[in-house]
Every structure is written in structure tokens, then in C-alpha cells.
Amino acid sequence: EVQLMQSGSEVKKPGESLRISCKGSGFSFTNYWITWVRQMPGKGLEWMGRIDPTDSETNYSPSFQGHVTISTDKSITTAYLQWSSLRASDTAMYYCARPVGPGTDALDVWGQGTMVSVSS
Amino acid sequence: DIQMTQSPSSLSASVGDRVTITCQASQDINNYLNWYQQKPGKAPKLLIYDASNLETGVPSRFSGSGSGTDFTFTISSLQPEDIATYHCQQYDTLPHTFGQGTKLEIK
């Protein structure tokens, strides 16, 4: 079964660091970009960025560039989303997703989401 | 960034109704437009890709059309299980932005 399995929910304080993960299985991990999407409480979807596990090439939305880091360890078919200093405004659900195929960003496989709560 | 404007932001309709949602891009995105359905507490689900192509396993009452800057998503006969929020997404130009979503409710 093709799936993306995300790490569990997190409760953090402002200024703390965090890395959440997204493990792919059932498909050739290096054949698909992995995209990260944010959904703040009660709000719409925001495209954060994506990574090519083959060579770790990344594309970031300017809205997130410099505040998050997307990385991957293809040896364990896992992608990561990382913060060095969290803010209260990072409180959101974060999804990883995989496209239908190369040359498209139609996201047909999604992780279950990781809820990140940041509060003092 | 390309701005994606969905209309309406919320919609109330009756079972059996024809429902239409529009998505307008701030610039030409060719047909690089996807539609997703998101039910409460769940991850989004791809319904339509490349403006008009139905994802495998998605009921045929869902359809999409359009090109350039103006796109339409239609449910031909609303079913109770279609209650959800619908999102459009362009992938012509990075970043691959989403619309703000349309919340669909049963009247």
C-alpha cells in the first residue's frame, strides 16, 4: 500500500526547535517530490515547499523561506520539516504529500497530518 | 505569487442540487489546476487534476473545466457525503498556491 506516515503531534514553547517527519512506503521514494502543506486552525491550505529526494533539491514558498528547512534521508525514505525557533503563529496542522507522478504537483497521496502547537 | 481566488467562500445547497465553485487565477496558469476535497479532521483528497481530469475512483458527478485564468468545479447532483471544504491549487508557477477554500454545507 502506498502511504505517507507522519510523526505524532507536538506541543512546544516559542523559541524551541522541532523536526517532524514523513515516512514513505509502498513506492519508489526517490521518484517523487515530497511537498509540505500548512493548515492553520480553521483556515485554508498553504503550500510551503517541496523536496526531490533524489538530490535534495528544494523549492520554498517565499512565505516560509528562511523560517523552515525541508530535508530528506532517502536511505530511510523519510522527509523532514524543521524549525530552529518556533513561533506561536506556527501552530497548525502540517501535511506531507506526494504527487501523482513526475512533472505534476497533483497531490494524490497525503500523510495523516502532524499537529504542532506552540504556546508559552 | 499567483493568487487563487475561490468563489463562494461558503455555500449551502440541497441534496440533488447542482453545485458550482469557481477559481480564478491572478495570471494565466494554462490548465495546471487541481481540485481537492477535505472533510473535517481529514487530509485533503485529490478529485480533479489538470483542470478536468477525474482522479481514479472519484465519482463521475464531480467534474472540472476551464483554462487560462478561470476554472469551474461542479457537482452534478449533491450527495450528503459531499459535505466538505473544496480547495483549488495551481501548479503552473512556484509556489504552487491554493485558493482559500469553499465550505459546502447541506441546506
Side-chain angles (χ1 to χ4, degrees), chain B residues 9 24-26 28 46 51 62-63 77-78 106:
Chain B
S9 56
Q24 184 171 59
S26 59
D28 189 339
L46 178 67
F62 296 102
S63 65
S77 178
L78 184 67
I106 291 285

Side-chain angles (χ1 to χ4, degrees), chain A residues 39 44-45 47 50 59 61-62 95 100 103-108 110-111, chain B residues 1 34 36 38 42-44 46 49 55 87 89 91 94-96 98 100:
Chain A
Q39 188 167 38
L45 304 173
W47 193 93
R50 64 179 185 174
N59 303 129
S61 166
Y95 294 101
V100 170
T104 178
D105 206 26
L107 304 169
D108 72 330
W110 291 71
Chain B
D1 298 4
N34 306 315
Y36 301 87
Q38 187 179 27
K42 299 294 187 182
L46 178 67
Y49 63 95
E55 173 71 345
H87 307 271
Q89 179 211 14
Y91 71 97
L94 290 167
H96 294 166
F98 290 89
Q100 80 276 19

